[in-house]
Amino acid sequence: MNTTKTTLTDRQLDQTLAGLDAAVTSPDLATGSDAKAQTVLRRALSAADDQMLVPKVTPSQPRRRLTAARRAAVFGGVAATITVASVAAPHLFGGGQALAWSATPQALSTSAARQAEKACVKDVLDDPTPVKDVDKSRMRPVITEARGSLVLVYLTDRAPSPSESTCYVRDGSVVSTSGSLATPQSPPAPAVAPKSVLVALGEVTSTSSGSIRGVHGRVGADVVRVVFDTVAKGPVTATVREGHVAAWWPDAPTTEQQENAATAPEIRGATLTLRDGSTRQVSVEELTGRTTQELTRPDSSGSN
């Protein structure tokens, strides 16, 4: 038996393969059945196998991410926004331990703030959930605040009907994100009176160890300080910056069913400090622009 191994140079291999090209091969030669053609093809492939390196492909590990989305309220038959929420880390509360937290924002270095903002923007842009006609690249941070274990980053595109996202960042990594994405069909956001505030409620991230609740929104031109009266933690001083307001606080564990069945909002009202130094008390109805009946009605929409 002849065991001599045939090795073709690159030039010889090119010439051999060119001879099998249907563009220059005689139409009478059927390469699928012609013995000579098959012999040449086997030699060419054998030589190619000896000279080529095949890269090893390692499947990437998917990021642990729980996502959920629902459509928000419909006004006049037009969808207002698409509400999205996600938890990117299974141990939000550090192995069952309570979150460190303070009722007032803490000092945050410029470098730590930029790191948290960069992580939040990347998380929002990398979200694979497709939303038609929504450009998330215009979203920018308006509030970045630290409270104990977490840094809150609040993004918005400042559009007439704004898209918004709130990230919770720990040690430079996003552990939870929620927000609402406006579509071209979304109605403009209502104006905020100079001495008032308009916020969104219902933002909650929960595990078996506990929950974090957040409030964010816009403030009137004369408002310089906001203290929310929360059910879980009492007075919570929010961060007010660039016409926006945001805050968060810890709470007991909850479930989707419990949240939907709730008949009382997570805040009772707020104390506003105005630019002239005066203060005023505002009800939760004024803060949200919703009636008492709307605020106390159980939710059947299946939010997450």
Side-chain angles (χ1 to χ4, degrees):
M1 178 182 296
N2 183 6
T3 58
T4 302
K5 188 172 185 178
T6 302
T7 301
L8 300 181
T9 65
D10 291 344
R11 182 177 180 182
Q12 290 171 325
L13 179 60
D14 290 340
Q15 291 174 342
T16 301
L17 293 177
L20 297 177
D21 191 338
V24 296
T25 301
S26 169
D28 297 329
L29 175 61
T31 58
S33 58
D34 184 88
K36 182 178 180 181
Q38 287 295 307
T39 299
V40 174
L41 181 59
R42 282 194 297 271
R43 289 177 179 174
L45 293 178
S46 176
D49 288 340
D50 289 339
Q51 297 178 30
M52 293 177 63
L53 295 177
V54 180
K56 181 180 180 181
V57 179
T58 303
S60 59
Q61 295 298 319
R63 181 185 181 192
R64 293 197 63 180
R65 186 181 185 92
L66 307 176
T67 59
R70 70 179 177 95
R71 290 195 177 275
V74 175
F75 301 94
V78 179
T81 58
I82 298 174
T83 303
V84 296
S86 67
V87 178
H91 302 298
L92 175 62
F93 290 84
Q97 299 178 354
L99 286 172
W101 177 80
S102 64
T104 57
Q106 301 167 321
L108 185 64
S109 68
T110 301
S111 60
R114 296 296 175 267
Q115 182 185 33
E117 291 167 358
K118 183 178 179 179
C120 181
V121 171
K122 183 178 186 302
D123 187 83
V124 170
L125 294 180
D126 287 350
D127 190 331
T129 306
V131 181
K132 185 179 180 181
D133 299 328
V134 173
D135 181 11
K136 294 185 290 185
S137 67
R138 296 180 299 173
M139 299 176 71
R140 297 289 185 271
V142 290
I143 289 179
T144 303
E145 62 150 47
R147 292 176 190 265
S149 302
L150 302 176
V151 175
L152 177 152
V153 181
Y154 174 27
L155 309 178
T156 178
D157 60 6
R158 297 177 179 268
S161 181
S163 291
E164 302 172 316
S165 286
T166 302
C167 299
Y168 295 92
V169 183
R170 178 161 52 192
D171 299 328
S173 298
V174 175
V175 295
S176 176
T177 306
S178 62
S180 59
L181 303 177
T183 70
Q185 293 74 37
S186 301
V192 184
K195 299 180 180 181
S196 190
V197 176
L198 189 62
V199 299
L201 299 182
E203 179 185 294
V204 58
T205 300
S206 189
T207 73
S208 59
S209 301
S211 301
I212 55 175
R213 294 187 182 274
V215 171
H216 66 272
R218 295 172 294 139
V219 301
D222 292 337
V223 177
V224 296
R225 186 170 186 262
V226 178
V227 179
F228 291 110
D229 181 13
T230 72
V231 174
K233 292 295 181 181
V236 175
T237 301
T239 297
V240 176
R241 188 176 299 132
E242 298 184 22
H244 292 79
V245 61
W248 73 270
W249 60 94
D251 201 352
T254 188
T255 66
E256 179 182 347
Q257 291 73 24
Q258 289 174 323
E259 289 300 297
N260 287 339
T263 56
E266 59 267 37
I267 61 175
R268 291 179 282 252
T271 301
L272 310 184
T273 300
L274 305 181
R275 197 170 300 279
D276 61 6
S278 64
T279 61
R280 63 181 296 258
Q281 304 293 319
V282 294
S283 66
V284 67
E285 286 83 0
E286 180 180 340
L287 287 172
T288 61
R290 302 171 68 184
T291 66
T292 302
Q293 182 180 9
E294 290 173 331
L295 291 168
T296 57
R297 180 188 304 139
D299 186 6
S300 59
S301 60
S303 62
N304 295 69

